[in-house]
Amino acid sequence: MTGSAASHVLPVLPVGIPWVLAAVLALLDGRRRWVGLLAAGGLAASLASLFWLASVVLREGPVSTVAGGWPENVGISLRADALGAAFALVSVGVILASLLYELALGVRWRAFPALVLLVAAGLTGLFLTGDVFNFYVFFEISMTASFILTGYREADYQVRGAFVFAVVNLLGSVVFLIGIAALYSITGSLDMRIIAQRTDVLEPVSVIAVATLIFAAFFLKLGLFPFHFWLPAVYVGSHPPVAAILSGALANIGGYGLLRFGAGIMPRELELGSTAVLVLGSASIIYGALQAISRRDTSEVMAYSAIGQAGYVILALGVAGPVGYAAAVVYSVVNSLNKGIVFLAAGLRGPLVGGAFAVGAFSIAGVPPAAGFVAKIAVFKAAIAEGPLLASLALVALVFVGGALSFLYSFQVYQRRFMRPGDGGKPGPRAARLLVAALAALVVLLGIWPEPLVSLGEAAAAVLAGGSG
């Protein structure tokens, strides 16, 4: 395949493979093992194509195409850069791990594999599109499939969680759609690059209201304080692999959206609101950590932990600049892996799972040699780069205190769940335990050899700092 042909095909593969396969598997019984394995194979192929795409993007820069060979502004515009590739890679990776986990336990719904593939297709399309309306369409695809998944296994508390998630999804979608419509009305375009160019020359007052709507929608999706009201009920009420998908993959819509629309499309408005962003991030870190310490149920602790961890991403985003953006990307990737580990491990027992959970939990706290240490260091660097000495010291102190609180609740969970003698309960399928251990090994590997992750974060930051939407 020539370089030109590859550039047209590459961005389509990660979206097209799960999309087509989901349509096929929706007609089949997903409870049959071979159907689930076929879905896992499709996700693995999508993940492999994303690795290929990421390597091309890092070497040659962003890759653009229009799916199906349609004219631009008619077909689905795809534009892959380092930022989108980073989020797509980690999201599809967590989704694949969650699907394999459920295959080891035994799929209970015939539609489960197809729904998981739809989530993956929606997320990869969202991360790789260059058009804000297509972003919204992919957003809705992934959110709708996720809403159905939250009711998986049909326990009463899971159905309640699904209802809460549906209401929040509808609210966020309406706010975001209004923001997109307003953005189109003032720029006359849906292309992210053109919008970025046109908003830059408009009066700030005409863009601030639009930015506020769009940022609020992503704050809600990320579960940032005080937009977090829905998150504990949904995460706690979800089956472990579903919770891992929601927290480790779907929640990335919030972080990615803020980076893409804030830093990439409306950086001036993000800078104007940087104080508010820093305050929200700081409040989330402290609130999430304190609430996590006060809880005893593992899933509930991890749900509130997710609120606090989102605060670090927002903190780095508020600092802005190449250092801040790179820290936000690195932290988002590591946080996705951490949440995938702890939510999947929460449904298992045994020393191997205990060790994996410890890696994930202490990575959340930023303890070396886990990748969380690298992510915390990146946020430290961003805090130091804030500018005024007092502001930098305050942010550094906040990151340190947040890390200490994270260590405390992580140790509490580990002690309650894995250190009590005679804890009881079956250890769970061996394949599921090995899968969680493999994720933990990956987190340790990224902590020992962080160069690929850091390089990807810096490349993504360069895209954003250059104003590329």
Side-chain angles (χ1 to χ4, degrees), residues 433-450:
R433 287 179 282 139
L434 289 174
L435 177 66
V436 175
L439 282 176
L442 175 60
V443 167
V444 173
L445 177 63
L446 288 175
I448 297 172
W449 184 45

Side-chain angles (χ1 to χ4, degrees), residues 147-433:
F147 153 63
I148 300 172
L149 282 176
T150 52
Y152 182 59
R153 299 214 168 192
E154 298 178 342
D156 288 342
Y157 61 89
Q158 289 164 343
V159 173
R160 287 195 298 271
F163 176 76
V164 171
F165 188 77
V167 172
V168 172
N169 174 34
L170 180 61
L171 176 62
S173 297
V174 170
V175 172
F176 184 57
L177 185 58
I178 293 172
I180 288 178
L183 197 59
Y184 177 75
S185 71
I186 63 174
T187 63
S189 178
L190 294 172
D191 185 282
M192 291 182 180
R193 288 180 296 185
I194 296 175
I195 292 173
Q197 294 167 1
R198 293 180 180 176
T199 54
D200 190 48
V201 298
L202 291 172
E203 288 295 326
V205 68
S206 63
V207 187
I208 287 175
V210 178
T212 301
L213 283 172
I214 292 176
F215 293 172
F218 290 129
F219 286 154
L220 184 66
K221 186 68 214 86
L222 194 58
L224 194 72
F225 177 86
F227 303 87
H228 69 285
F229 56 90
W230 61 274
L231 191 147
V234 175
Y235 283 12
V236 173
S238 298
H239 187 50
V242 174
I245 291 173
L246 296 178
S247 62
L250 195 73
N252 285 332
I253 294 176
Y256 173 81
L258 288 167
L259 283 163
R260 179 66 75 188
F261 282 82
I265 296 179
M266 295 177 283
R268 180 183 56 186
E269 287 66 36
L270 178 64
E271 183 179 358
L272 290 172
S274 60
T275 301
V277 172
L278 289 171
V279 169
L280 288 174
S282 302
S284 293
I285 291 171
I286 299 302
Y287 174 83
L290 292 177
Q291 288 293 329
I293 289 172
S294 68
R295 298 305 196 270
R296 297 189 62 82
D297 179 77
T298 300
S299 295
E300 200 170 1
V301 171
M302 291 302 116
Y304 280 103
S305 169
I307 297 170
Q309 296 306 303
Y312 291 100
V313 177
I314 301 306
L315 201 68
L317 181 68
V319 171
V323 177
Y325 298 153
V329 173
V330 169
Y331 206 97
S332 295
V333 171
V334 173
N335 190 39
S336 291
L337 295 174
N338 292 341
K339 289 188 288 188
I341 292 171
V342 295
F343 276 107
L344 292 178
L348 302 171
R349 293 290 191 278
L352 183 63
V353 175
F357 183 90
V359 170
F362 293 123
S363 181
I364 289 174
V367 177
F373 177 72
V374 177
K376 283 289 196 300
I377 291 297
V379 177
F380 266 119
K381 290 180 179 178
I384 293 171
E386 165 61 7
L389 179 60
L390 287 178
S392 296
L393 290 175
L395 291 179
V396 168
L398 174 68
V399 174
F400 179 80
V401 171
L405 293 174
S406 300
F407 181 87
L408 178 58
Y409 67 68
S410 297
F411 182 75
Q412 287 177 337
V413 171
Y414 182 79
Q415 186 180 41
R416 286 195 296 263
R417 190 160 187 85
F418 296 103
M419 293 180 65
R420 285 182 177 177
D423 184 33
K426 295 181 179 180
R430 183 181 180 185
R433 287 179 282 139

